[in-house]
Amino acid sequence: MLPADCSRRLVAELRDALDACAERQRQLERSLRVSRRLLRTWEPAETPAPQPTPAPETSGEAPSPESTPSPQDLKELELLTQALEKAVRVRKGISKTGERHKALSLKSGSAAPSATTASAPSQASGQASCRVSETKPPRGIQQTVVPARGLPECRLLSVRDRTRVGRGSRAIKPGPGPRDQQIPPSAALQAPEAFTLKEKGILLRLPMAYRKAASRNSRLWAQLSSTQTSDSVDAAATAKTQFLQKMQMTSGGPGSGLSAAAVEAEVGLLQTACSLLRRRMEEVLSADPADCMQEYRCLLTLEGLQAITEQCLHRLQELRAAVVGQQLGPWPVGRRPGASLPCGGGTDPIWSPQLLLYSSTQELQTLEALRLRVAMLDQQIHLEKVLMAELLPLVGTQGPHWLALCRAVHSLLCEGGERFLTVLRDEPAD
Amino acid sequence: MGRRRRRVDRGAAVGALPEAIAALSRTLPAGPSPEIFRRAKFDRPEAAPALWQLLFRVLSPLSANGASAPAAQEAQVRVVKSELHSQGYPRRALAQLPEDGSRGSRELLLALAWLLARGPLLERLLAQTRVRLGDEIPLCECEALARPGPPVPRVEADGPVDIRQLQWLMGKLRFQWRKLITSQQEQCALLGKIHSYTRGCHSDRSLDHLSVAETELLRDAEGGQQMLRRLESENVRLEAALHWRRQELVFWRWMDTVLGTCPPEASQPTFVPRIPERGAGEWELVARELQALREELRGAAEPRRAAWEARVGGWGPEWSAVQRASREAVGLELAALQRAWERGGAAAQPHGPCRLVKSDAGASGGPGLRAAQVIEVLRSREACLEAVLCQLQRQCRQELARLAGALPGLIWILPPGR
């Protein structure tokens, strides 16, 4: 059994580590739930979302002024509609599939001369016609625009945007006047065709309100995080410094200038310093000096490192004295100690939008795996240090069950708890 | 919000002050009206509760904000006091304010101004609560560390504990990590799919595909509306922050007058310094490490110095010029090394969460980081950390061997696989 205070400390550390891990797991589970749900078949929406790009439930309306199609658009629209009619016929197995499909894709390709992706229109029309055949056949082609779902068909329609056939989803819906039909929302929900991201994700389109808000958002963030140096900014900065000084002066004492948070931050920096110094020392010791000059430099470096270490230790003592003597209050137990962050972590810069481009799922997986591995190693190193500090002294003092303790400590400290050594009693054979 | 409240006898500057304060309070969470600020200058008690609440929202960690019901007045007051104290708030009058939150509006106003003056408080608050539109991946762990999860009520191990419990906890931890890594891999696969299925759907060309949040917005209209509302209110706050930046000078001038109306500080209260064990433990660890390092360096440097002196003893003066050059060079190197941690490290290194975007490998020269680069950096960091861990384990092994060697008559068979 371990002594009580040692037990308490170690169990607390390990529980901290477990909690941190559990928190990550929780967040990850949340994201997984959302992603899995997105990749399944989408449930039909209860109420179709009110969209700024007009909802098809209001299909009876005439096209709004901004989406009045030009004569050329109408002509292209007519062509496309005919192509879709053909597609329906093809689908119904009236004619040979192969050539017709080709002809169809060619036709829709020509109907949309400015289509960016030739495959998209044919694919879209293919899919649309697919829907047509499965939903209300008697209604004819106009059903290509029948909504299967409240939301997705809005996006379906907007594929036409991409092929530049109609301007705005409304343009297609009513089409040329006589074909105008009302499609009640209830009919929309009857369609059995389900929406899956895999098949129809490419047809999705973000609503206009969101697009505007998002672009405004990123613009504002960019403005906020840009470092401006104008007169007003400088004047404000000076005013702030002066204010702080006055605050300090009126506080009735010189003050140490050290806050508990600052002390904690410095201890963290000294931790980083220690690892950097150690790394440099190992570099020097492992290097083979080729000539006198290099030998001399090695010597100087080692002595210089020694001096810096002394300075760090000295600073650490000062900090300790500050906390105790100047009554800074309880040591803040905030962030997890022991992390030697490459970015310092102290100054938090203003967030600004940044992109990280990846090219394949494998790459992303590698990236994430490495990131987790680095975090895990950080934690392991911290635990290793804590365990060393607590357990090695116990092994030094021989108590009862010393062998068992020794073996357990060896496994914890030297093998990460994964392997055990064997101890044999060396009995002289006689 | 008092924009047009202009006093006839003063100049236009007075009108600018309520405007600036209005912008400030629009940016802050739970920002009080400019009237509260005005009353606080005269230390009116009715302004105090709003300011306590504001400071509580600003100072308490994010997790507490989103969590349960708002804390009681006393709890809020205590949190504000202790947090300000730990950040080094210089005025002692704050600590003497009553805990029922009925007084002290002027002091609170000063505290708020102090926080604003010290650093980018507004930007930090906005960043903490921002709407995440993309799939984000943090580049370094500082955000995870700075935002601890909700405090788990934990039953501390009271009595002595068997070492097997420690082994069990370690094993559990290892298992948790494995589970975490597998879940993460699954999430990446799902993300990859979602990104490729929604290729070309985004209006922003540089993004090209939708993120999970955006796809979710399309799937769930209700949730989408909520997100849109949050986004719009964030935009309002961002604009208010920019407006504030343009006008804050007049606020600082006013704060000088507020400070002027305060009576000078009196005596010092006494604090009982308590250093909780864990915090001191951290200090202990660092101290121990530095001491060990110092010993090692001494052990390495002293014999070399002795050997060097022995060799160089008889060498002539032409050597001293070379020596001086070497000293300078080494001095510069070490100074650079010191800067590496003193200035907070490679601040130029990208930092903070990035939005994941799937794009073809050929897209070079555009904005944004490349995953390949980040992978390189992470690999080198991993190698570094593994080296450190190995070295620590080696140290332990040596130490244990030394201790075990004291007991003869035993054979220690190390586990295989080394």
Side-chain angles (χ1 to χ4, degrees), chain A residues 37 151 224 297 358 373 424, chain B residues 195 218 245 329 386 411:
Chain A
R37 194 173 51 196
L151 288 168
L224 199 64
R297 286 188 124 173
Y358 71 98
R373 181 137 171 83
L424 290 182
Chain B
H195 290 177
L218 290 172
R245 257 204 204 163
E386 275 179 349
I411 303 177

Side-chain angles (χ1 to χ4, degrees), chain A residues 1-2 7 9 16 19 24-25 28 31 35-39 42 49 151 155 198 201-202 204-205 210-211 213 216-217 221 224 228 240 244 246 250-251 259-261 269 271 273 278-279 281 285 292-293 295-297 303-304 309-311 316 320 328 330 337 340 343-344 348-349 351 354-359 365 368 370-371 373 379 381 383 385 388 402 408 412-416 419-424 426, chain B residues 85-88 90-92 114 124 130 133 137-138 141 154 160-161 167 170 173-174 177 180 183-188 190 195 197 199 201 203 214 216 218-219 221 234-235 239 245 252 256 265 274 277-278 282-283 286-287 289-290 294 296-297 304-305 308 311 322 326-327 329 334 338 341 344 351 354-355 357-359 368-371 381-382 384-386 391 393 396-397 407 409-411 413 415-416 418:
Chain A
M1 299 294 272
L2 305 170
S7 312
R9 281 194 291 269
D16 266 351
D19 287 341
R24 279 184 204 254
Q25 182 77 27
L28 199 49
S31 317
S35 309
R36 282 185 197 133
R37 194 173 51 196
L38 282 177
L39 285 169
W42 289 12
L151 288 168
R155 315 307 174 276
K198 180 169 182 176
I202 211 160
L204 292 175
R205 235 358 186 221
Y210 171 82
R211 272 190 265 170
R216 195 161 146 239
N217 187 271
W221 271 114
L224 199 64
Q228 323 137 299
K240 284 193 253 196
L244 286 174
K246 274 199 210 171
T250 64
S251 72
S259 67
L269 283 183
Q271 168 93 41
R278 176 170 282 280
R279 203 189 319 172
M281 175 185 80
L285 289 178
C292 274
M293 281 292 302
E295 245 185 81
Y296 189 55
R297 286 188 124 173
E303 290 182 337
T309 314
E310 287 284 357
Q311 284 176 14
L316 200 58
R320 171 114 189 179
L328 285 179
S340 53
C343 62
D348 37 15
W351 179 80
Q354 271 176 325
L355 298 180
L356 178 60
L357 304 170
Y358 71 98
S359 54
Q365 281 174 329
E368 286 281 16
L370 272 175
R371 199 172 63 82
R373 181 137 171 83
Q379 195 188 66
I381 290 177
L383 284 174
K385 289 180 187 167
M388 274 168 76
W402 180 80
L412 271 178
L413 288 180
C414 309
E415 308 290 337
R419 285 174 288 259
F420 287 83
L421 46 66
T422 327
V423 186
L424 290 182
D426 189 12
Chain B
H85 179 69
S86 90
Q87 292 201 23
R91 291 174 59 90
R92 293 179 185 83
W114 184 79
R124 193 166 47 84
R130 71 192 152 86
L133 299 173
I137 178 172
E141 296 293 308
R154 191 196 304 140
V161 141
Q167 290 175 325
M170 280 284 271
L173 186 63
R174 263 203 323 278
W177 274 108
L180 192 63
S183 305
Q184 183 65 272
Q185 300 290 72
E186 185 190 347
Q187 168 71 349
C188 291
L190 295 181
H195 290 177
Y197 294 164
R199 223 180 6 249
C201 297
S203 45
E214 288 163 344
E216 183 69 12
L218 290 172
R219 183 193 77 90
E234 179 175 307
N235 286 349
E239 288 196 336
R245 257 204 204 163
W252 293 114
D256 278 340
E265 289 261 81
R274 289 179 295 113
E277 280 180 45
R278 292 241 298 280
E282 167 65 8
W283 185 91
V286 180
E289 267 187 67
L290 282 172
R294 181 181 57 185
E296 279 180 59
L297 281 166
R304 280 174 203 232
R305 171 57 75 173
W308 182 259
R311 266 169 71 180
V322 181
S326 299
R327 264 201 296 274
L334 291 177
Q338 256 184 305
W341 73 77
H351 172 76
C354 290
R355 178 170 176 157
V357 172
K358 185 168 191 171
S359 82
L369 300 165
R370 301 290 179 276
R381 187 152 165 69
E382 181 197 19
C384 206
L385 290 173
E386 275 179 349
Q391 193 264 334
Q393 287 179 337
C396 287
R397 215 169 279 129
L407 226 64
L410 292 168
I411 303 177
I413 304 178
R418 278 270 149 224

Side-chain angles (χ1 to χ4, degrees), chain A residues 251-273:
Chain A
S251 72
S256 65
L258 273 180
S259 67
V263 166
E264 184 197 355
E266 269 214 65
V267 171
L269 283 183
L270 288 173
Q271 168 93 41
T272 317

